Amino acid sequence: MLIQRALSRARVLSTSRYFSSLSSIQMQTINLPKSPPFSFSSNNHGCNFLKSKPSSVSSPYSTAAFSLGKSSRKGVVPLAALLQIGGVQIAKDDVVKENDPTNNVPDSIFAKLGMQLHRRENHPLGILKKTIYDYFDINFPGKFEKFDDLCPIVTVKQNFDDVLVPPDHVSRSYNDTYYVNSDTVLRCHTSAHQAELFRNGHTHFLVTGDVYRRDSIDGTHYPVFHQMEGVRVFSPEDWSGSDMDGTAYAAADLKRSLEGLAKHLFGAVEMRWVDTYFPFTNPSYELEIFFQGKWLEVLGCGVTEQAILHASGRTDIVAWAFGLGLERLAMVLFDIPDIRLFWSSDERFTSQFSEGKLGVKFKPFSKFPPCYKDMSFWINDGFTENNLCEIVRGIAGDLVEEVTLIDNFTNKKGMTSHCYRITYRSMERSLTDDEINELQEQVREAVQNKLNVVLR
């Protein structure tokens, strides 16, 4: 009931209150492909939980950062009991529910809510966000509204239905998405806010925020990352006299605008457009650039499906939309080799970046040795690699660098064995044998108990 009351409250508030002043700034699983192929790169205006009375907060939908305190075990940060989202205090028990079969949000993910790396001016993600803002402010003065503080707790309808994700799409599975309950998720993409912004009359906007997906563990994948989505709406008077229909006009403007953005970020580079498919745009494209000797995908985009626009009450408009992953681009622009570094508070990392300085190359401050631990077990029909990685991350945190399947076979009885190699490595210090052995033993016990596999 508390959840529904908070959700109802959120929906009646004006969209204009969703952003800060621009001057400041498990359940059943299925063995399916890991990541949604439709995402632009891979939002909700109201949070679904009400634990206490609203406090005095300038933006009622802000996800304010919270204090984590000191670590009780090296590499693992203790969890805050309360998180402030949308002007209300959110208890961990409202987001992390171990005994609720419709909830698969672990402590480690709750700990990331509210950290908002994209709003830190001297952080690579904040620097990149501001550089993109600058491009749109220069080329479209006064047109694009910026939303970077929208609540990441959204309804299933907002995250999937409103952007035409098919009911049977893999991205809806508990293997891919973090569910708070059967009707509520942590947003998988910033597109989750698009439909509501349309309904509230916004015609030019950029939405930036943290997004959440259950995923593998390696140097380029992390269960929390950041996206930016851009949308521009056109009315009939915009394309009249252009000898093009609305769709063609919007597509031409889209390509011209995004080629300009690519030049703004990467300089004079060779570009190419690749036709693709997204459920929420038609036609759909990916923009690639030839950078540092290879083709790099920069973003996905397209002309918004009319069904999305019609749901906003308008039948005479067209729109384009794009989406990009901030970490993906920042790793290239700043030469950052490991996605975990974005979450580092080590001054040897944070001191290297300053507001307004895009493309400053990261200088590695150390290279600590890795520690490899192998683990073999007989899997069952419900086993998925995402569930394994979730357990490993929950125990070892950012001390785990990679989880790799190095061997698998099926015996004459039809039983399948997997052998995974877990690479432990801190980005900030050397790890001791005793420390790694303790973590590995915890991992083995948890994998056996939670995934119902048989260790070998």
Side-chain angles (χ1 to χ4, degrees):
M1 183 62 71
L2 291 176
I3 292 173
Q4 295 305 319
R5 286 207 300 266
L7 184 56
S8 299
R9 168 184 176 269
R11 285 172 174 163
V12 301
L13 293 176
S14 168
T15 303
S16 64
R17 297 173 62 196
Y18 295 156
F19 56 102
S20 302
S21 167
L22 297 182
S23 62
S24 66
I25 282 242
Q26 203 185 140
M27 193 169 169
Q28 298 176 353
T29 56
I30 309 170
N31 193 8
L32 294 167
K34 282 203 270 289
S35 68
F38 63 85
S39 170
F40 276 150
S41 58
S42 202
N43 274 321
N44 181 45
H45 303 359
C47 285
N48 303 24
F49 307 95
L50 183 58
K51 195 66 178 178
S52 64
K53 294 182 179 180
S55 58
S56 178
V57 180
S58 59
S59 173
Y61 290 100
S62 69
T63 50
F66 51 89
S67 175
L68 293 175
K70 295 183 179 180
S71 175
S72 58
R73 186 173 85 231
K74 292 182 179 180
V76 179
V77 182
L79 195 63
L82 290 174
L83 166 66
Q84 191 159 303
I85 302 179
V88 298
Q89 294 294 323
I90 308 304
K92 187 198 78 168
D93 291 344
D94 275 335
V95 181
V96 181
K97 305 176 182 182
E98 294 184 4
N99 297 319
D100 185 346
T102 67
N103 179 285
N104 64 347
V105 181
D107 288 353
S108 58
I109 294 301
F110 178 80
K112 302 298 185 185
L113 285 168
M115 296 190 72
Q116 296 191 313
L117 302 184
H118 61 286
R119 304 190 75 208
R120 302 181 184 186
E121 295 177 344
N122 295 320
H123 190 280
L125 301 184
I127 296 168
L128 176 56
K129 181 196 75 172
K130 181 59 167 57
T131 303
I132 298 173
Y133 280 4
D134 290 344
Y135 169 77
F136 283 96
D137 287 343
I138 293 169
N139 291 276
F140 307 91
K143 285 186 175 292
F144 279 83
E145 298 176 87
K146 288 90 167 177
F147 299 82
D148 72 348
D149 199 21
L150 303 183
C151 181
I153 303 175
V154 303
T155 65
V156 168
K157 179 179 184 297
Q158 290 171 305
N159 197 72
F160 298 121
D161 300 336
D162 284 353
V163 288
L164 310 182
V165 177
D168 59 348
H169 197 279
V170 59
S171 64
R172 292 177 181 255
S173 79
Y174 277 67
N175 187 55
D176 285 62
T177 294
Y178 289 107
Y179 279 79
V180 176
N181 58 45
S182 59
D183 299 315
T184 311
V185 300
L186 302 184
R187 64 184 172 208
C188 301
H189 48 193
T190 48
S191 302
H193 302 293
Q194 188 182 105
E196 189 165 356
L197 289 172
F198 280 141
R199 286 194 295 269
N200 283 278
H202 299 281
T203 60
H204 298 67
F205 53 87
L206 301 172
V207 178
T208 312
D210 43 333
V211 298
Y212 300 78
R213 294 186 193 169
R214 304 176 86 240
D215 212 338
S216 55
I217 299 177
D218 58 37
T220 60
H221 291 84
Y222 203 80
V224 188
F225 54 104
H226 300 76
Q227 290 186 341
M228 180 184 290
E229 169 145 336
V231 172
R232 185 181 186 186
V233 173
F234 300 89
S235 300
E237 53 266 28
D238 293 318
W239 67 80
S240 63
S242 67
D243 296 325
M244 291 186 284
D245 62 19
T247 297
Y249 184 87
D253 185 86
L254 169 68
K255 290 183 176 182
R256 183 169 54 250
S257 300
L258 297 183
E259 286 173 358
L261 175 60
K263 291 178 182 177
H264 185 71
L265 296 176
F266 294 95
V269 293
E270 184 181 355
M271 305 180 199
R272 68 183 183 188
W273 289 97
V274 180
D275 293 338
T276 189
Y277 165 78
F278 303 119
F280 31 69
T281 55
N282 184 28
S284 302
Y285 314 99
E286 290 175 345
L287 175 59
E288 297 182 351
I289 63 169
F290 195 73
F291 187 71
Q292 296 179 344
K294 61 182 178 181
W295 286 101
L296 171 71
E297 178 191 336
V298 176
L299 50 81
C301 61
V303 178
T304 305
E305 282 281 6
Q306 280 294 303
I308 296 175
L309 299 173
H310 291 174
S312 71
R314 297 288 301 274
T315 60
D316 59 339
I317 60 174
V318 296
W320 57 243
F322 74 86
L324 56 84
L326 293 181
E327 279 90 346
R328 177 182 176 84
L329 298 186
M331 290 179 78
V332 174
L333 290 165
F334 293 95
D335 279 354
I336 295 174
D338 193 311
I339 196 168
R340 294 175 298 166
L341 281 164
F342 290 109
W343 299 90
S344 176
S345 58
D346 192 311
E347 289 186 0
R348 293 172 295 178
F349 175 78
T350 60
S351 64
Q352 296 190 37
F353 309 102
S354 300
E355 180 182 2
K357 295 183 179 181
L358 182 72
V360 172
K361 302 306 179 184
F362 168 67
K363 298 178 181 179
F365 44 83
S366 60
K367 185 67 172 179
F368 296 101
C371 179
Y372 303 103
K373 293 291 182 179
D374 295 350
M375 179 173 58
S376 299
F377 46 85
W378 300 103
I379 67 171
N380 54 50
D381 291 341
F383 173 80
T384 71
E385 191 169 299
N386 279 358
N387 289 339
L388 170 65
C389 290
E390 201 71 37
I391 289 174
V392 176
R393 271 202 182 100
I395 292 172
D398 286 349
L399 297 182
V400 58
E401 179 177 85
E402 190 170 14
V403 175
T404 309
L405 178 64
I406 61 172
D407 184 46
N408 74 90
F409 71 93
T410 301
N411 66 15
K412 293 180 180 180
K413 295 181 180 180
M415 298 173 62
T416 299
S417 172
H418 282 187
C419 180
Y420 285 91
R421 176 159 293 165
I422 303 176
T423 304
Y424 296 94
R425 190 204 312 255
S426 171
M427 297 174 291
E428 300 172 357
R429 61 184 178 83
S430 292
L431 302 176
T432 67
D433 289 339
D434 288 344
E435 183 178 3
I436 297 305
N437 289 337
E438 179 184 351
L439 289 173
Q440 183 68 5
E441 187 58 37
Q442 292 179 40
V443 168
R444 288 175 59 85
E445 181 179 354
V447 168
Q448 179 173 248
N449 293 335
K450 295 184 178 182
L451 301 186
N452 295 318
V453 299
V454 179
L455 297 176
R456 298 181 61 211

